[in-house]
Amino acid sequence: MKSQRNISEFILLGLSYDQNMQIFCFVLFLFCYVALLAGNLLILVSIQCSPLFHQPMYYFLSHLSAMDICYTSTVTPKLIADLLVERKTISYSNCMLQVLTMHFFGGTEIFILTAMAFDRYAAICKPLHYLLIMNRTRCHLLVLAAWAGAAVHAFPLFSTAISLPFCGPNEIDHYFCDIFPLLKLACTDTHIIGVLVVAFSGMFGLVVFIVLFVSYGIILFTLRNMSAQGRRKSLSTCGSHITVVILFFGPAIFIYLRPPTTFPEDKIFALFYTIIVPMFNPLIYTLRNSEMKKAMRKFWCPLLFSNEAHS
């Protein structure tokens, strides 16, 4: 690839040029990242160390928490570190790696959200056959399919990125490397490539979003036949899932399902699916979930009290 490029690094323009704003963003995103790690690790450990792990919904939730940590860690630590320096650079190889890992972990998260929707559909619409439909083997296969689907999504975008020729301009008007900002820098006609990226990446997100939307529509329609208590519990669970889907897919579809170009607002929208949604996922999934809160109290309270007794 060296014959097609004469740059070894890119300059990231980041979120803002204002020094005071950068300090504010550093404090804010450092807090968000620590809260994200703590919240998702709390869910991950609580589920792994409780009987909830054997329930399909919580099995998928533990994988979603792991993906939240992996996905946001491809972008956020670099963003936080760059807020403390004047010249924000990223090497060519790290930039390409960021494109690959971000789309791979993001794609895995999307497919796990789809598996969670299927799990809720089976639990609410097919309750008598739920344990048969969502047996542990099928759960493993769905997670494996999520990883495979993410690879199918990420590797063509990665191949596109590493095949682009870069001749001079190396300033990326973003806080991470992504396919559209790289297309803007390439010293070749990228119109057809851009259309293909939109067709592949944007349509991928839109189709999955429509599938999820229809699935939850069917689930909500089925709730009419349930008792008031069952309806309340199912609405609470599905409400959490629907909130996450809208917060994650809304900004992502806005960025990837449009003519291949970039806007300054893209950086703000990208914050939603790279930092904000992964940070709020633990709150969204635990605040109204009595089983999750009970499992967390059962696991963590004895540990805290035993530490106090020893001290």
Side-chain angles (χ1 to χ4, degrees), residues 21 34 44 74 94 108 218 224 227 233 302:
M21 180 59 72
V34 171
L44 196 57
T74 64
N94 284 342
T108 306
I218 295 170
R224 297 178 313 150
S227 65
K233 185 179 179 182

Side-chain angles (χ1 to χ4, degrees), residues 28-59:
L28 175 64
F29 294 135
L30 181 61
F31 169 78
C32 289
Y33 187 56
V34 171
L36 183 153
L37 291 177
N40 282 292
L41 283 171
L42 189 66
I43 285 183
L44 196 57
V45 175
S46 298
I47 291 175
Q48 293 278 348
C49 299
S50 76
L52 290 181
F53 184 68
H54 301 290
Q55 296 184 33
M57 185 178 86
Y58 297 101
Y59 172 78

Side-chain angles (χ1 to χ4, degrees), residues 10 48 93 109 140 150 166 169 175-176 221 252 265 279 306:
F10 295 99
Q48 293 278 348
S93 56
E109 186 158 343
H140 289 325
F166 301 102
Y175 61 90
F176 63 89
F221 184 77
E265 295 80 11
M279 181 184 69
S306 64

Side-chain angles (χ1 to χ4, degrees), residues 289-303:
N289 190 318
S290 57
E291 286 185 321
M292 191 70 233
K293 286 189 283 191
K294 191 188 298 180
M296 290 167 73
R297 279 196 299 268
K298 193 174 179 180
F299 178 75
W300 292 103
C301 286
L303 288 179

Side-chain angles (χ1 to χ4, degrees), residues 157-203:
L157 295 175
F158 172 68
S159 300
T160 300
I162 62 173
S163 67
L164 293 172
F166 301 102
C167 307
N170 67 338
E171 289 189 343
I172 297 176
D173 188 16
H174 217 307
Y175 61 90
F176 63 89
C177 287
D178 202 4
I179 190 71
F180 282 161
L182 289 173
L183 287 176
K184 193 175 179 181
L185 293 181
C187 53
T188 186
D189 183 9
T190 59
H191 177 71
I192 294 175
I193 297 174
V195 171
L196 291 174
V197 169
V198 169
F200 183 74
S201 192
M203 290 304 297

Side-chain angles (χ1 to χ4, degrees), residues 220-285:
L220 293 175
F221 184 77
T222 307
L223 291 179
R224 297 178 313 150
N225 304 321
M226 297 179 67
S227 65
Q229 185 180 357
R231 189 159 50 240
R232 253 195 320 272
K233 185 179 179 182
S234 298
L235 275 174
S236 176
T237 305
C238 291
S240 302
H241 292 194
I242 293 168
T243 303
V244 170
V245 167
I246 292 172
L247 287 174
F248 187 88
F249 278 89
I253 289 173
F254 171 79
I255 289 176
Y256 292 106
L257 192 66
R258 69 178 192 213
T261 185
T262 58
F263 297 111
E265 295 80 11
D266 288 354
K267 292 182 275 191
I268 306 301
F269 280 101
L271 288 173
F272 275 90
Y273 57 82
T274 56
I275 300 175
I276 295 172
V277 173
M279 181 184 69
F280 280 111
N281 271 356
L283 286 175
I284 292 169
Y285 282 112

